[in-house]
Amino acid sequence: MKRIAICDDEIGTCSDLENMILGFANQHALQIETEVFYSEEMLYHALLEQCLFDLIFLDIQLFQLDGIQVGKQIREQLRNDKIGIVYISSKETYVMRLFQVRPLDFLLKPLNREKVVAVLELFIRLSEANKIEFYYHIGKSTYLGQGITIMDFFFFLVEIPFLLVISFFYQGKGIQRLLIAAIFPAV
């Protein structure tokens, strides 16, 4: 499941872009969820509330902050370099300022379906290339955790006098489960 945010103050642009993204997902049998924001404050608040996105289509000309400032906040204040950012604007004059934010791409309005599809294909290809797959064993058989990446796991290490407890958890796709817990004598 890929989560894509669209942030633009123009309702028509948001609607068109969302339709292009969902059409691409349908055509390629991908699970993509979109969320639309009409202001930079709404997007940034969602990010602060741990609403994570894989990709953001971000208009440069917004109400209070411009999209470049929002991108800088994502990179510098939230320290998030994983979210792909695609800037959209009706003006080319911003292009040189975008390098500070390390965007995936820049699209000129009015948006063109072919260019949006090209960006989505690049995003999917890059996200697949960066995916770390998880394999697990049951008996002598090896299984691939389809759609599960190592990023979905976390563990706790608890040191109690004379004992060491390690618990591995999986959290993803709306579920959380304990995979294994091990207790060792402390050395």
Side-chain angles (χ1 to χ4, degrees):
M1 167 75 76
K2 300 292 182 195
R3 299 197 68 233
I4 299 178
I6 301 167
C7 184
D8 196 310
D9 54 355
E10 297 174 8
I11 296 172
T13 298
C14 291
S15 177
D16 291 345
L17 185 52
E18 186 173 34
N19 288 334
M20 289 181 212
I21 293 168
L22 295 176
F24 173 84
N26 195 24
Q27 183 179 6
H28 291 83
L30 297 170
Q31 291 183 335
I32 295 179
E33 181 180 296
T34 59
E35 192 164 342
V36 175
F37 299 91
Y38 296 108
S39 74
E40 69 282 357
E41 295 94 5
M42 290 171 51
L43 171 64
Y44 194 70
H45 180 70
L47 291 168
L48 287 175
E49 295 294 320
Q50 301 301 315
C51 189
L52 300 177
F53 297 100
D54 301 296
L55 181 66
I56 300 173
F57 284 88
L58 183 56
D59 187 21
I60 292 178
Q61 294 175 298
L62 295 166
F63 292 116
Q64 292 182 1
L65 296 175
D66 67 26
I68 298 170
Q69 291 171 311
V70 174
K72 284 181 181 179
Q73 288 179 337
I74 291 168
R75 299 291 190 236
E76 296 168 7
Q77 292 175 2
L78 299 179
R79 297 188 184 280
N80 190 321
D81 289 310
K82 292 181 182 178
I83 297 175
I85 299 173
V86 176
Y87 283 107
I88 53 179
S89 179
S90 56
K91 298 180 183 177
E92 293 181 20
T93 57
Y94 300 102
V95 174
M96 294 310 291
R97 291 181 47 210
L98 301 181
F99 287 101
Q100 299 170 354
V101 182
R102 300 172 302 285
L104 181 63
D105 210 332
F106 172 81
L107 297 177
L108 199 57
K109 290 180 184 178
L111 296 177
N112 171 311
R113 185 184 182 289
E114 289 78 27
K115 290 182 181 178
V116 170
V117 165
V119 167
L120 291 170
E121 287 173 344
L122 173 64
F123 164 70
I124 295 297
R125 185 171 46 88
L126 291 175
S127 63
E128 290 300 312
N130 293 326
K131 188 163 109 175
I132 302 170
E133 294 178 335
F134 170 71
Y135 294 88
Y136 60 95
H137 301 277
I138 299 177
K140 293 184 179 181
S141 299
T142 302
Y143 300 91
L144 169 63
Q146 291 186 324
I148 300 173
T149 67
I150 199 73
M151 302 301 287
D152 294 323
F153 290 89
F154 60 95
F155 75 96
F156 292 104
L157 173 66
V158 179
E159 291 186 63
I160 303 172
F162 309 111
L163 290 177
L164 182 65
V165 180
I166 302 175
S167 301
F168 285 89
F169 290 87
Y170 165 70
Q171 180 174 347
K173 298 186 179 180
I175 60 172
Q176 179 175 335
R177 93 174 44 125
L178 173 65
L179 294 178
I180 189 169
I183 301 174
F184 302 97
V187 180

